[in-house]
Amino acid sequence: MKKFKTPKLNKHEVKALLWKYKHLSLVSLYGFAQIWFQYCERTVRPKYFMYSMLDNYIPFIKYFVVPYLFWFIYMGLGFLYLAVVSKKDFYRLCIYMFGGMYLCYVLYLLFPNGQNLRPIITDNDIFSRIIKHIYATDTPTNVAPSIHVFNSIAVHVSLVNCPQFREKRWMKLASFICMTTISASTVLIKQHSIKDVMWSILLAMAFYVAIYQVPKWLPSKNEVSINIKGVSSMK
């Protein structure tokens, strides 16, 4: 049997590859976001508790901890795909996601909030143990808007606005399912109130308009250059 050798990159090829995808370094902003989030977790004492009557009708379903944790993979795949396929859409995702996350942290400090929806978990299966661990490590504070929901929307919107991704229907459907199940998981494992989800959707809509719609309303460079040429030719 023939042995297949993995191709080795020389120093110049490695440098060229790193330079080509240097924009991926922007993902480090997520690390700074986590530092700020941990600061909020330690210092913010909730004065406002998020609750809606609708929360009483939303069941606790432990199995939804799976899509809740899949959030990390979904974000990573979204960043990686756009970094390779479309640098422009990658930058848009960075502005969308990190801009929203940092704004959320400001809101947490200005509007300290939390929730009292978590049930007492007595089961000891794998799903219950994971949720117990999440409850122990992630306090029920800084919940509105939900970053889980906001980031899921940001990834999906950024992907479907990428021309290369938009052409693949099954990928669009898969992304939509990921976004909706992750968002639903936040209330189904009682990490968030339905109010947190609503505030996240409103914030995501505002960022969508700012990033994807406002530029369409502004004159393009071509239009500006044509106007300048037209004015100069009339002199």
Side-chain angles (χ1 to χ4, degrees), residues 20-163:
K20 182 179 180 181
Y21 296 108
K22 64 183 183 297
H23 51 284
L24 267 170
S25 61
L26 287 174
V27 178
S28 62
L29 290 171
Y30 184 80
F32 293 108
Q34 285 303 301
I35 294 172
W36 194 351
F37 179 72
Q38 291 304 320
Y39 171 78
C40 292
E41 284 284 280
R42 291 194 303 269
T43 59
V44 172
R45 297 293 177 267
K47 295 181 181 178
Y48 310 95
F49 289 88
M50 310 308 292
Y51 169 75
S52 168
M53 288 293 292
L54 292 174
D55 292 319
N56 297 331
Y57 299 96
I58 299 174
F60 171 78
I61 305 177
K62 58 188 176 184
Y63 306 110
F64 269 83
V65 73
V66 175
Y68 184 84
L69 293 177
F70 184 74
W71 174 71
F72 294 100
I73 299 174
Y74 182 54
M75 284 196 302
L77 291 175
F79 272 116
L80 187 59
Y81 178 87
L82 293 178
V84 173
V85 172
S86 173
K87 191 183 293 187
K88 177 182 178 181
D89 290 292
F90 173 82
Y91 287 138
R92 283 177 169 176
L93 174 57
C94 288
I95 296 170
Y96 203 144
M97 183 179 292
F98 297 127
M101 290 179 74
Y102 288 128
L103 180 56
C104 282
Y105 300 146
V106 172
L107 293 174
Y108 296 158
L109 295 173
L110 297 177
F111 184 73
N113 59 77
Q115 55 99 336
N116 289 319
L117 299 171
R118 292 179 172 181
I120 297 173
I121 301 174
T122 56
D123 294 338
N124 201 37
D125 57 273
I126 183 64
F127 303 104
S128 299
R129 291 201 300 271
I130 293 173
I131 294 175
K132 286 179 185 178
H133 178 73
I134 292 172
Y135 284 1
T137 56
D138 186 5
T139 64
T141 58
N142 309 312
V143 293
S146 164
I147 289 178
H148 242 74
V149 175
F150 177 86
N151 284 2
S152 299
I153 297 173
V155 171
H156 179 68
V157 169
S158 300
L159 287 173
V160 298
N161 277 278
C162 173

Side-chain angles (χ1 to χ4, degrees), residues 1-19:
M1 294 178 65
K2 293 183 179 180
K3 292 183 178 180
F4 293 95
K5 293 182 179 180
T6 55
K8 293 183 179 180
L9 299 176
N10 59 44
K11 187 187 296 185
H12 298 293
E13 289 174 328
V14 171
K15 285 184 178 179
L17 193 63
L18 291 175
W19 180 257

Side-chain angles (χ1 to χ4, degrees), residues 165-177:
F165 188 90
R166 192 164 53 234
E167 294 174 356
K168 301 174 176 62
R169 290 186 178 181
W170 70 269
M171 290 178 67
K172 286 170 59 179
L173 178 60
S175 178
F176 178 77
I177 292 172

